[in-house]
Amino acid sequence: MNRRRRNLLLAGLAATLPLRVLAGAQPRARVIVIGGGFGGSTCAGTLARLAPDVEITLIEPRPHFFTGPSTNAAIAGVCAEGDIVRGPAHLGTAKLRWRAQRAVALDPVSRRVTLDDGTQLGADRIVLSPGVSIRWDMIDGLNADTTDGMPHAWLGDAQVSTLRARLHALPDGATIAISAPANPYRCPPGPYERASLMAWHQLAKGRRSKILLLDAKDDFTKHALFRLGWDTLYPGLIEWVPRAAGGEVVAVDSKRGELYLHNGTRIGADLASVIPPQRAAVIAQAADLTDESGWCPVQAPNFESTRHPGIHVIGDAAAAQPMPKSAFSANGQGKLVALSITAELDGLAPPRAYLPNTCYSLLAPDYAISVGGTFGVIADRLSTLSDASSPLSASRDVRALEARYAQDWYVHITRDTFG
């Protein structure tokens, strides 16, 4: 079986196997899903198929947004901005009610949710997939008022358009700085893909820009594969500065385009994209679902909160190591939780967790690398069952093939999630 077929089958596996639990009448229950990204929309849609007698409410204020996957491609002009706009707008059915509002409060004990218009909703089970919030307390000078000067474009909002416009307007010889946060954060390979595709964009426009990758870490996912790709495609254009060499950004002046490193170095940039440290979304923090790490601890295998029963947390907000915070992870977790809730309502044994993940990274439109794995429960802990990555020795034809796989994966995962 070739890699493309394997990945597509793994992505769909959790959607097909759960149908076996449909035997017998479904008991009536109310389930609220907060967050309409890859985790929440997948969970709500899967529940609607598995449990037609369950009342399902999906709360997500945005009908559409820029997806995290392919954001860097849209910024660099590999694809159009409109190509990565998805959302839950088409999910509403008689079985699944989509509320285009924001959940502003969650009482995890009474399992009641307050919406931004004051409406309160109660449920038997709540699935929380709220994504991440930005930690504005970690980098001096960077806050909600100054971030547009150094756009991170990490939340699927208008900063994607802002960063794209600023990149496309850069002159030849410009300096670009990208700041990568410490682990964990949403989409671990994202900053390094961004540097790659920004380099591709500048060369495609006949410009040579220096790209500085300022890192709060001393290592990163697919490190060797990225470095080999940079040497092959963009020799001398991308400089990675690890934390040990002073790479961590501790302060910024967004008006002057200056970044200050922890060793005292000051760097000026014509364009800076500062990706701040992150933690679980504010609603999860306020509902006492996070621990000292800033993320939501969950039980294996059903992703139920360890702090409050009856609340499941999936996607980027969950402390689900060793799974990465990725769209593929959230999609699989959403299916697993839908199956777990359905099995419990039917009085059946809980499902066995089998969660695949593949993260593709484009370094150019015809050059991609990947890392993947499967995850399950060993000794009551979420664990890695298998892992694999692109071979360092792969030919350019193989890299081009992986780029096509990445495009196919995006089409499949977004259709599977949002319909």
Side-chain angles (χ1 to χ4, degrees):
M1 181 183 299
N2 65 38
R3 183 169 184 151
R4 174 177 178 274
R5 179 167 176 77
R6 184 202 70 180
N7 286 332
L8 294 182
L9 286 175
L10 286 175
L13 185 61
T16 56
L17 293 182
L19 297 179
R20 298 175 183 174
V21 307
L22 282 172
Q26 301 293 321
R28 184 74 173 173
R30 296 170 302 163
V31 177
I32 292 175
V33 181
I34 300 174
F38 282 90
S41 287
T42 299
C43 186
T46 304
L47 265 174
R49 294 192 296 273
L50 295 179
D53 292 332
V54 170
E55 179 184 288
I56 305 162
T57 302
L58 174 63
I59 301 171
E60 169 56 58
R62 304 168 299 170
H64 300 96
F65 44 81
F66 295 117
T67 60
S70 292
T71 283
N72 291 326
I75 289 169
V78 176
C79 65
E81 289 182 74
D83 292 342
I84 66 163
V85 175
R86 299 289 191 278
H90 304 298
L91 290 178
T93 65
K95 301 175 186 176
L96 167 57
R97 181 172 61 163
W98 166 51
R99 296 289 294 261
Q101 291 178 263
R102 188 168 65 92
V104 296
L106 164 63
D107 184 333
V109 178
S110 65
R111 298 176 195 165
R112 297 192 67 80
V113 178
T114 303
L115 305 182
D116 53 10
D117 67 352
T119 300
Q120 290 195 343
L121 304 175
D124 301 293
R125 287 273 169 171
I126 293 176
V127 181
L128 192 64
S129 187
V132 303
S133 62
I134 300 300
R135 296 200 61 176
W136 297 121
D137 58 332
M138 302 294 285
I139 300 176
D140 288 346
L142 189 70
N143 54 52
D145 295 325
T146 62
T147 181
D148 283 348
M150 296 181 166
H152 52 75
W154 217 248
L155 301 179
D157 56 18
Q159 281 200 354
V160 174
S161 299
T162 300
L163 186 55
R164 175 187 169 104
R166 294 189 59 187
L167 172 67
H168 290 224
L170 283 178
D172 185 28
T175 297
I176 300 172
I178 300 171
S179 171
N183 291 324
Y185 59 95
R186 168 182 282 172
C187 189
Y192 314 96
E193 180 188 63
R194 178 168 294 179
S196 306
L197 291 181
M198 283 185 169
W200 170 82
H201 173 270
Q202 291 298 88
L203 286 180
K205 297 296 183 180
R207 310 167 188 160
R208 291 184 63 85
S209 294
K210 180 67 175 180
I211 299 178
L212 297 173
L213 246 173
L214 307 172
D215 211 328
K217 307 177 293 299
D218 288 324
D219 198 7
F220 58 90
T221 181
K222 295 182 272 193
H223 184 157
L225 287 164
F226 271 111
R227 297 294 293 271
L228 175 62
W230 296 339
D231 289 343
T232 301
L233 300 171
Y234 314 115
L237 296 185
I238 299 175
E239 180 183 351
W240 175 62
V241 186
R243 186 182 190 282
E248 182 179 12
V249 174
V250 297
V252 301
D253 185 330
S254 62
K255 291 184 178 180
R256 297 170 62 93
E258 294 179 344
L259 304 94
Y260 300 87
L261 307 186
H262 81 90
N263 65 357
T265 301
R266 179 184 62 84
I267 291 174
D270 300 289
L271 172 61
S273 176
V274 179
I275 304 165
Q278 298 152 34
R279 57 188 171 191
V282 172
I283 191 170
Q285 300 170 44
D288 187 38
L289 293 167
T290 58
D291 61 15
E292 63 278 358
S293 72
W295 306 99
C296 302
V298 294
Q299 302 177 40
N302 65 357
F303 286 79
E304 188 171 3
S305 169
T306 62
R307 300 174 73 86
H308 293 284
I311 311 293
H312 302 261
V313 185
I314 59 176
D316 297 333
Q321 295 87 347
M323 292 193 77
K325 297 183 184 300
S326 72
F328 204 153
S329 292
N331 175 275
Q333 292 164 12
K335 291 172 181 174
L336 179 64
V337 169
L339 177 56
S340 298
I341 292 173
T342 305
E344 181 178 350
L345 293 174
D346 285 344
L348 301 176
R352 180 178 66 88
Y354 181 81
L355 296 162
N357 179 72
T358 299
C359 288
Y360 290 100
S361 298
L362 283 180
L363 280 71
D366 60 350
Y367 189 113
I369 57 178
S370 67
V371 63
T374 56
F375 304 88
V377 178
I378 299 175
D380 296 325
R381 295 180 64 87
L382 193 62
S383 305
T384 301
L385 303 179
S386 66
D387 58 63
S389 61
S390 304
L392 278 170
S393 59
S395 67
R396 286 296 296 269
D397 287 342
V398 171
R399 304 290 191 222
L401 188 62
E402 288 224 73
R404 293 198 293 274
Y405 292 168
Q407 295 163 5
D408 289 347
W409 172 85
Y410 182 82
V411 170
H412 176 87
I413 197 78
T414 54
R415 182 181 299 142
D416 183 66
T417 300
F418 304 111

